[in-house]
Amino acid sequence: MRDASRAFMPYPFKQVEHAPHGPLSGLTFAVKDLFDVAGYPTGGGNPHILALSGIKTHNAPAVQQLLDAGARFVGKTHTNELAFSMSGQNIHYGTPRNGAAPDRLPGGSSSGSASAVSNGLCDIALGTDTGGSVRTPASYCGLYGLRPTHARISLQDCQPLAPSMDTCGFFASNVQHFTAVAACLLGEDSVATTAIQLVSDSQHFSRLPMHSQQALAPIVEDIRHLWGEIAPLQGLNVWSEPLFDAFRVIQGYEAWQAQGTIIDRYGLSLGPDVADRFEYGRQVTESDYQQAVAQRQIFTAWWEQQLAGRILLLPTVPDTAPLLTASQQEIEATRRLSQDLLILSVMTGTPQVTVPMADIDGSPLGISFLGPRGSDRLLIEMALRLSSGDNT
């Protein structure tokens, strides 16, 4: 059957065995084409990588966990090339359809996974998030999404981009499925659940376009009703540029270390934006990288002291998804503003949940909770409570 959403890689379908019973019985799932699935190649969003792959003989552990819990696999989904973009566009395979806003980009790099869930083609989907690749498409496509605590979910048998930043995340279209997948993949939190105290940086909201501020304002009020006053977080603005610079250096260096040999050896044909990012990574020196890692460590120590076990409330991204007709310059401008919001959890290894709460002229916009390392399940419980409007 033709995939009108363009969410799935057109691989010949092969049944993947799953447990007949389990907590995810009756649910279907898709997998970003970075993870190995037995009977399928792993293409990584690039035809050269696909040609080199061969057919895999076993499942990545994260895939196997879902199968063991009773979920049924329905296919592998498109990704931006080598997971190094956030637009959802792929020069080789096209752009998956945003099921919530078909005239807009789906976001990436987990574009196909978000597309498959938002178009109702599966209940849940695995993605990866290095710099925002689950949270961005989740917000753009009106989905629940998690970037977990770094290394909490296995990335074994998954194509890397920047290993010290890569995480395995997931999408769901409703909070019940989201909660069920979390229980399967995450286990118990490593931090004790205490009274929830929220903090927020006003500049995270004031820098947004006015229509985004207006759409999120009533959601923030609902959150106040649920958890009480939101304390101000001070001093984050001075970190904006040095933190972004360190993020870019670390991501670029690790991406080139992970994929540069293959790119050079086989002369991979890459989209211009992806090629530019890898070329930047080629130029990053070991010394540059070590300085950026040290900067990350300094920021993380400061961050943990500032957050002190509290939960940060922030917009997931600044605005709804760019239109399909947006220029590369417009997409890149959106990417840069988004990264100030997205890289906080990346650089600190902390979990972030995005909740589809706002709507701007029919297009969705998410709001996020970011917590201490090991608080993933707590954040998902908060998403459940916010979505249900539970004031108890």
Side-chain angles (χ1 to χ4, degrees):
M1 187 173 75
R2 182 173 176 269
D3 173 21
S5 73
R6 301 178 298 280
F8 290 97
M9 289 293 293
Y11 299 144
F13 184 76
K14 183 182 185 301
Q15 193 73 38
V16 179
E17 185 178 353
H18 63 90
H21 306 289
L24 301 184
S25 289
L27 298 185
T28 56
F29 76 100
V31 175
K32 184 176 185 177
D33 197 22
L34 300 182
F35 293 88
D36 289 352
V37 177
Y40 292 82
T42 299
N46 181 276
H48 292 86
I49 298 294
L50 175 59
L52 292 166
S53 166
I55 301 299
K56 304 304 180 182
T57 58
H58 63 277
N59 301 314
V63 174
Q64 192 62 53
Q65 282 181 274
L66 297 179
L67 295 166
D68 291 344
R72 179 169 60 87
F73 172 79
V74 296
K76 299 194 78 177
T77 57
H78 282 290
T79 174
N80 285 119
E81 281 187 279
L82 308 180
F84 211 173
S85 179
M86 294 201 309
S87 69
Q89 297 170 314
N90 186 304
I91 196 170
H92 306 288
Y93 301 122
T95 305
R97 180 181 183 269
N98 182 333
D103 61 336
R104 295 179 179 272
L105 293 171
S109 64
S110 306
S111 53
S113 290
S115 174
V117 177
S118 66
N119 281 287
L121 302 177
C122 59
D123 299 306
I124 52 182
L126 287 182
T128 62
D129 189 310
T130 301
S133 292
V134 166
R135 292 162 292 160
T136 299
S139 183
Y140 285 179
C141 295
L143 303 173
Y144 295 87
L146 172 72
R147 176 194 166 89
T149 298
H150 189 262
R152 184 156 181 179
I153 304 174
S154 173
L155 277 174
Q156 182 181 332
D157 302 318
C158 178
Q159 178 183 293
L161 176 61
S164 76
M165 297 174 167
D166 294 345
T167 60
C168 171
F170 54 86
F171 302 91
S173 58
N174 70 61
V175 74
Q176 290 76 26
H177 294 163
F178 192 53
T179 304
V181 177
C184 169
L185 292 179
L186 294 171
E188 296 301 318
D189 277 351
S190 60
V191 298
T193 301
T194 57
I196 293 169
Q197 295 180 305
L198 289 167
V199 296
S200 181
D201 182 343
S202 62
Q203 291 193 37
H204 284 160
F205 290 90
S206 64
R207 291 180 63 196
L208 305 187
M210 185 54 65
H211 57 256
S212 296
Q213 294 184 46
Q214 293 170 342
L216 291 174
I219 312 303
V220 174
E221 281 305 307
D222 289 343
I223 290 168
R224 283 197 177 95
H225 287 307
L226 288 170
W227 289 288
E229 198 51 47
I230 303 169
L233 182 67
Q234 305 291 344
L236 187 56
N237 61 311
V238 301
W239 286 97
S240 178
E241 287 304 319
L243 193 65
F244 173 73
D245 291 343
F247 161 77
R248 187 166 181 251
V249 166
I250 294 170
Q251 184 186 46
Y253 180 87
E254 292 188 1
W256 185 255
Q257 297 305 307
Q259 303 295 345
T261 299
I262 290 176
I263 290 171
D264 276 350
R265 180 181 297 169
Y266 296 102
L268 264 61
S269 174
L270 301 170
D273 59 330
V274 177
D276 286 347
R277 292 184 195 114
F278 276 111
E279 186 56 33
Y280 168 80
R282 183 202 295 268
Q283 306 302 323
V284 176
T285 67
E286 172 73 19
S287 175
D288 293 337
Y289 174 69
Q290 293 300 336
Q291 289 178 37
V293 169
Q295 182 80 295
R296 176 171 63 183
Q297 292 170 339
I298 293 168
F299 175 75
T300 299
W302 178 88
W303 179 253
E304 290 176 348
Q305 184 179 37
Q306 293 298 308
L307 207 60
R310 298 177 294 180
I311 307 297
L312 178 70
L313 175 70
L314 72 165
T316 305
V317 289
D319 205 349
T320 58
L323 292 167
L324 290 169
T325 54
S327 67
Q328 282 300 317
Q329 290 79 7
E330 291 170 318
I331 292 170
E332 196 60 30
T334 298
R335 172 189 171 93
R336 177 63 188 90
L337 184 55
S338 297
Q339 283 176 324
D340 279 347
L341 298 168
L342 294 165
I343 65 175
L344 293 174
S345 61
V346 176
M347 296 297 276
T348 57
T350 51
Q352 183 176 342
V353 162
T354 179
V355 189
M357 295 299 296
D359 180 281
I360 301 174
D361 297 329
S363 297
L365 181 66
I367 197 163
S368 283
F369 298 117
L370 189 161
R373 278 175 283 190
S375 66
D376 310 51
R377 294 286 297 276
L378 171 61
L379 301 184
I380 287 169
E381 289 169 11
M382 293 176 69
L384 174 60
R385 189 175 175 193
L386 177 60
S387 299
S388 64
D390 179 10
N391 286 289
T392 59

